[in-house]
Amino acid sequence: MTTGASPPTVRAPITDRLLKLKEIFTSKYGCEPSFYARAPGRVNLIGEHIDYCGYAVLPMAIEQDILAAVKPTDFDVVHLSNTNPSYLDFSVSFENIQIDKTKPLWHNYFLCGLKGIQDHFHLTSLTGMNCLLDGSIPPSSGLSSSSALVCCAGLVTLTANGMTLSKVELAETCARCERYIGTEGGGMDQSISFLAEEGTAKLIEFSPLRATDVRLPAGAVFVIANSCVEMNKAATAHFNIRVVECRLATKILAKSKGLAWRDLMKLGDLQEKLGVTLEDMLAVVDEVLHPEPYTREEVCEFLGISLDELRATVLSQNTQEVSTFKLYQRAKHVYSEAARVLDFKKVCDEAPANALQLLGDLMNQSHLSCKDMYECSCPQLDQLVDICLKSGAVGSRLTGAGWGGCTVSMVPVQKLDHFLSSVQDSFYNTDDQRSLLKEKSLFATKPGCGAMVILEENKM
Ligand code: ADP
Ligand code: NG1
């Protein structure tokens, strides 16, 4: 179980990466950084698109992260720069913080974390700082580069201002403030970024937020493969359309069951109100919802509300003009995926002789449900999942939001070498673009540690 501890501050010898960051920082700002902070990305093993419905998910942190070098200053300005020249320098004074939802440029994610801390403590001003960031998570690929950036910014701001929060408070604050960019996500990414511990995946449950260790089977390795299709959540409406479809399904199911539906926003809260099992909820979906898409007019008529009320209370800013919603398929995915997460955890806990096969089956079912019911896959991801399974994985699925990004595959240890070379040959070497990216696109991973502040050893 999670404790109320804060992210650790570790004194560490300077690594090659820190040294390089320090050198760039020093030449850019004319002073040395006084501390560093890092927040990891994550791979979600199972439980896709259900965190914002209130259901538990099962991710682990990866080694790839966002790392910041920081020096607080006496000025009222934050200067941001990045080791990647495609992320341009940005400076802002505190009276002028605005987060542009229409153009999710990188500094906006940093400002989300900064503003999250400011809002949490109701601060009118913050200390100025110089920051240099370096990221190793492939962006827009379902490994949570955006949340790692928001979490790193939150931790940097907290530390520079001499304040403390527990990991749980930081995770909740960063989950809330990442929504300033416009995506109405759940809290999975920020939670695992702060609550991760080396060597263990976590079952993350919400309301209240808590993380429980999940011991992964010893005989398997989890391998990430990038489809090389990028999908930025905040720049498109795909993600928020799914969020509002789940809200609408909640309300229609609730009203048809005679519940006070106006306050209900999540499929998970509806299940709790009805006091029934996930299996029962799947039957309720079959009984109440139709597979044909619902029009806005049909939804409004069923709920007895105007289009204006629908827009104001359910739709997000970027889904105001969406005219049809698939409610049956989305609710089916959510309730079945929530059950698969619990089954996955149970198999890990009980470790039966056929654990790998059982876990692989659950991952495969999850991918099919994401593809057919939630429609958040894409042809390249489906092709990659197919190749991973043919190359020896016992389970393979898209991970993260989807519509591009990465797959995660569970591969028996003894098949790992063959798996890696077969996926290289069948997916990466067949395409010039992918072939260029292959070094960073296919890699085995294991559960990494959570966010931390780093102080240079031997420096006062
Ligand atoms: P993900 O699935 O990785 O969270 P998103 O599309 O939600 O992807 O967010 C990706 C955005 O995060 C990028 O477009 C960029 O603005 C920001 N980002 C990711 N990595 C970095 C980095 N190393 N430095 C600066 N910004 C980054
Ligand atoms: P990524 O993969 O980082 O885009 C998004 C959401 C998660 C979760 C997954 C789908 C954010 C910040 N992240 O993750 O909360 O809903 O999609 O399972 O919105």
Side-chain angles (χ1 to χ4, degrees):
M1 285 290 290
T2 311
T3 67
S6 298
T9 297
V10 299
R11 281 198 174 269
I14 194 144
T15 57
D16 287 350
R17 185 172 175 215
L18 284 178
L19 188 60
K20 195 165 156 225
L21 198 64
K22 182 177 171 177
E23 281 168 6
I24 303 174
F25 186 100
T26 310
S27 74
K28 175 137 202 109
Y29 294 116
C31 58
E32 290 192 353
S34 51
F35 71 91
Y36 304 85
R38 79 173 283 272
R42 59 102 188 98
V43 57
N44 190 22
L45 301 180
I46 196 156
E48 227 56 85
H49 287 279
I50 60 172
D51 56 348
Y52 52 79
C53 298
Y55 284 111
V57 292
L58 212 154
M60 63 190 196
I62 54 176
E63 179 195 327
Q64 288 81 348
D65 62 9
I66 300 280
L67 175 68
V70 189
K71 173 86 177 173
T73 66
D74 293 333
F75 306 103
D76 194 18
V77 180
V78 176
H79 293 289
L80 300 177
S81 55
N82 202 298
T83 54
N84 179 340
S86 59
Y87 297 123
L88 302 181
D89 287 4
F90 180 79
S91 297
V92 67
S93 63
F94 292 116
E95 313 82 74
N96 206 16
I97 295 181
Q98 277 167 12
I99 297 169
D100 186 350
K101 291 185 179 179
T102 58
K103 271 196 238 113
L105 296 174
W106 79 280
H107 60 258
N108 285 309
Y109 294 92
F110 191 97
L111 296 183
C112 284
L114 185 133
K115 193 160 160 36
I117 297 300
Q118 187 177 19
D119 291 353
H120 180 88
F121 288 100
H122 308 288
L123 301 173
T124 47
S125 72
L126 289 165
T127 185
M129 46 189 175
N130 294 332
C131 300
L132 171 67
L133 282 96
D134 180 58
S136 54
I137 309 165
S140 297
S141 300
L143 302 179
S144 275
S145 66
S146 63
S147 302
L149 177 51
V150 173
C151 292
C152 186
L155 186 54
V156 160
T157 308
L158 189 78
T159 309
N161 285 276
M163 296 177 298
T164 52
L165 281 176
S166 71
K167 296 179 196 178
V168 167
E169 287 166 317
L170 264 165
E172 288 179 333
T173 301
C174 290
R176 240 189 335 270
C177 69
E178 188 161 347
R179 296 189 195 119
Y180 297 159
I181 202 93
T183 38
E184 313 231 349
M188 161 167 65
D189 308 344
Q190 303 82 0
S191 303
I192 192 67
S193 195
F194 284 112
L195 299 173
E197 286 172 303
E198 197 163 351
T200 177
K202 295 276 184 180
L203 180 80
I204 304 278
E205 297 167 274
F206 302 97
S207 306
L209 176 59
R210 56 216 188 274
T212 310
D213 291 357
V214 177
R215 189 204 296 251
L216 297 173
V221 181
F222 287 88
V223 181
I224 293 173
N226 197 333
S227 70
C228 304
V229 177
E230 289 193 2
M231 208 297 284
N232 182 292
K233 280 187 311 287
T236 58
H238 301 14
F239 187 85
N240 280 357
I241 291 174
R242 295 295 177 275
V243 175
V244 303
E245 285 175 324
C246 290
R247 285 181 191 157
L248 288 173
T250 304
K251 289 178 184 297
I252 290 193
L253 290 169
K255 184 161 186 197
S256 69
K257 289 286 157 194
L259 296 178
W261 56 271
R262 278 177 196 276
D263 294 338
L264 282 174
M265 293 290 260
K266 294 181 184 171
L267 288 163
D269 293 345
L270 171 65
Q271 186 202 351
E272 205 180 301
K273 274 267 177 321
L274 289 173
V276 300
T277 63
L278 285 166
E279 209 173 309
D280 294 334
M281 286 313 301
L282 286 165
V284 171
V285 173
D286 278 328
E287 171 201 319
V288 175
L289 299 176
H290 57 68
E292 298 76 28
Y294 285 69
T295 62
R296 283 197 298 204
E297 293 69 28
E298 183 182 2
V299 167
C300 289
E301 193 182 320
F302 187 87
L303 295 177
I305 59 172
S306 65
L307 186 53
D308 283 348
E309 186 175 350
L310 182 81
R311 285 194 163 129
T313 59
V314 185
L315 304 186
S316 66
Q317 194 177 312
N318 64 349
T319 57
Q320 294 285 309
E321 300 311 323
V322 178
S323 57
T324 58
F325 305 95
K326 289 194 180 174
L327 306 188
Y328 172 84
Q329 294 83 344
R330 310 316 182 214
K332 276 289 214 186
H333 167 77
V334 170
Y335 289 126
S336 64
E337 184 77 352
R340 281 187 285 274
V341 171
L342 302 181
D343 290 347
F344 194 98
K345 162 95 169 33
K346 190 160 178 272
V347 174
C348 290
D349 289 347
E350 293 173 0
N354 60 344
L356 290 198
Q357 198 52 55
L358 295 173
L359 297 176
D361 289 348
L362 289 166
M363 292 175 74
N364 295 334
Q365 288 161 19
S366 170
H367 183 74
L368 276 181
S369 182
C370 284
K371 170 177 175 274
D372 296 333
M373 303 307 269
Y374 222 68
E375 296 178 282
C376 63
S377 189
C378 69
Q380 295 87 338
L381 272 174
D382 294 337
Q383 184 200 1
L384 187 51
V385 160
D386 222 43
I387 287 173
C388 289
L389 290 173
K390 287 192 179 117
S391 302
V394 282
S396 186
R397 54 182 298 279
L398 68 83
T399 186
W403 296 286
C406 293
T407 60
V408 57
S409 302
M410 194 175 66
V411 182
V413 176
Q414 70 279 12
K415 292 191 178 164
L416 182 62
D417 289 343
H418 167 77
F419 174 85
L420 293 172
S421 65
S422 166
V423 177
Q424 287 284 13
D425 287 346
S426 314
F427 191 77
Y428 294 99
N429 293 344
T430 53
D431 178 295
D432 288 348
Q433 265 315 100
R434 287 179 195 157
S435 173
L436 286 175
L437 300 168
K438 71 182 177 189
E439 298 303 319
K440 288 190 172 167
S441 295
L442 179 68
F443 52 92
T445 186
K446 49 185 194 300
C449 60
M452 63 177 69
V453 174
I454 304 165
L455 299 176
E456 226 181 281
E457 209 174 55
N458 305 325
K459 192 176 162 191
M460 294 307 288

